[in-house]
Amino acid sequence: MSDLFTDDYAASADAADPLRRFRAQFHMPRFGDVEQAYFVGNSLGLQPRGARAQVEDVLDKWAMEAVEGHFRGNSQWMTYHGLVGAQLAEIVGAQPEEVVAMNSLTANLHFLMVGFYRPTAERPAILMEAGAFPSDRYALESQVRFHGFDPATDLIEVQPGDDGLFGIDAIAAAVAEHGHRLALVLWPGVQYRTGEAFDLAEITRLGHAAGAIVGFDLAHAAGNLPLRLHDSGADFAVWCHYKYLNSGPGAVAGAFVHARHADTDRPRFAGWWGHDASTRFRMGPDFQPTPGADGWQLSNPPILGLAPLRASLDLFTEAGMPALRAKSEALTGYLATLIRSELDAVLDIATPADPARRGAQLSLRVRGGREQGRNLFEHLAGNGVLGDWREPDVIRISPAPLYNNHADVLRFVRAVQRWRDA
Ligand SMILES: *Cc1c(COP(=O)(O)O)cnc(C)c1O
């Protein structure tokens, strides 16, 4: 048995954790008399305790000020979406003018593709990963069709290796093969099923060298990995805020448009909230976009939906992505080490072993096959250890560095052992 596999070790590692105070800033779901060991922050992040006050502030303002809430005070609704811009930019490594909180993830993907997917007869194709999150595939396939092209030839899905992983070589080979036909490379920051993380700058370099636009879906990367979106050179990116960014079910999503496109005359689907803020209320007939990401907005934003984001981003700002990443590597490394030392006969780790190629999440396969996997998953949930199940055979366990700790990881390992030994 490993020395690390003891309550003493977990307790001392948690006591030495510089971010340990953040756990108390969240509502931890209960399992009977104890807290759940919650490993599903990659699906729905926990509620920050500060979220309720932010939502109540909006409700109070609405109750007391009604329409004048648009124009009064620091948190006036006219500029409310901008309250989160600077913090968001810091988290994804962008300039404040490059990011905006708006709509939902899939909607942002479509709206940005209006400008950034401009297929021609010579260059009609999109390159994406095989096995992508279904919404992304539906969005890309429908965009190809919308432009009158054929997904069978123009939606190119890169196949992973036998281990289910891509690695940069598979992407480079696909770009080399199809580069002359590519209008767009759309890639995840972290693949949702395997947890494989990608080098955004390198993918951008490959795509641009082939003459394609490069966009990213950062649903599983934002708030998980320290990103440098501006420096990566990516043309655009989208993400959601309800996973690692803890802003609640269906939270308002995020979008990035690189500064080099700030004044682009690419086509876009316009709405009044994207109009230059200084002249928006002249209510003129001609659309003048706000430079930068703000110019891609359509509607006045759902203020109640944005409110929890403020509470969550304050915690990220206070903790800082470098410290979060350091803890994340330690915690996920601890989980991986114990799986190898204590559970090697039971579980196979599908996520890359190299910490540089993964984020918080480990994707696990039960060696006995799918039915055994389902059985273990249900045993865990029945014992207060919550991961999630992704068909056909993956259990995802994602320690979130803001609120998970080494003791949670021990509970996971012991619960798997009890199942194995039963
Ligand atoms: C979570 C997730 C989505 C969800 O899309 P919504 O528009 O927010 O419902 C889409 N794509 C990926 C890759 C995801 O991980």
Side-chain angles (χ1 to χ4, degrees), residues 109-374:
L109 186 54
H110 275 298
F111 288 130
L112 289 174
M113 284 177 75
V114 170
F116 290 103
Y117 174 52
R118 305 298 301 160
T120 62
E122 295 75 38
R123 276 188 183 272
I126 302 177
L127 191 80
M128 70 181 299
E129 99 267 30
F133 193 91
S135 196
D136 298 57
R137 195 179 186 290
Y138 304 154
L140 302 197
E141 183 184 49
S142 63
Q143 286 269 346
V144 170
R145 280 189 208 284
F146 171 75
H147 286 281
F149 294 96
D150 181 0
T153 51
D154 301 331
L155 185 60
I156 300 168
E157 295 175 271
V158 182
Q159 294 299 324
D162 292 340
D163 57 1
L165 305 175
F166 293 91
I168 197 72
D169 294 345
I171 304 168
V175 172
E177 183 182 349
H178 302 285
H180 61 290
R181 294 189 66 246
L182 294 181
L184 172 67
V185 175
L186 197 288
W187 208 260
V190 174
Q191 216 283 342
Y192 84 102
R193 198 192 305 267
T194 63
E196 180 179 8
F198 297 98
D199 181 339
L200 308 191
E202 184 58 13
I203 293 170
T204 303
R205 195 188 63 72
L206 289 167
H208 283 174
I213 289 282
V214 178
F216 289 99
D217 182 331
L218 303 176
H220 280 266
N224 177 13
L225 293 169
L227 300 170
R228 296 174 60 199
L229 261 184
H230 176 83
D231 292 344
S232 78
D235 294 288
F236 73 94
V238 296
W239 60 92
C240 56
H241 288 131
Y242 50 80
K243 293 174 178 167
Y244 291 98
L245 286 159
N246 308 317
S247 298
V252 176
F256 163 89
V257 178
H258 196 277
R260 86 174 84 84
H261 301 298
D263 297 306
T264 183
D265 53 10
R266 286 173 175 272
R268 72 181 93 191
F269 288 169
W272 74 316
W273 225 254
H275 188 97
D276 186 356
S278 62
T279 56
R280 184 186 298 143
F281 283 87
R282 289 190 200 152
M283 303 301 217
D286 296 322
F287 179 70
Q288 293 290 336
T290 307
D294 272 11
W296 293 81
Q297 297 173 98
L298 279 81
S299 300
N300 76 97
I303 304 296
L304 284 165
L306 278 170
L309 201 48
R310 296 184 68 187
S312 176
L313 294 185
D314 282 348
L315 299 176
F316 275 85
T317 301
E318 194 187 330
M321 282 309 296
L324 279 166
R325 175 61 174 160
K327 177 172 173 192
S328 178
E329 281 191 38
L331 208 52
T332 297
Y334 184 56
L335 175 62
T337 299
L338 291 188
I339 289 171
R340 280 193 297 268
S341 68
E342 313 302 322
L343 302 171
D344 196 44
V346 187
L347 292 175
D348 195 31
I349 304 177
T351 307
D354 177 0
R357 289 182 62 203
R358 69 186 183 204
Q361 167 186 327
L362 291 186
S363 300
L364 307 173
R365 283 202 182 84
V366 175
R367 292 196 191 272
R370 183 183 181 283
E371 285 316 303
Q372 292 280 78
R374 278 289 324 175

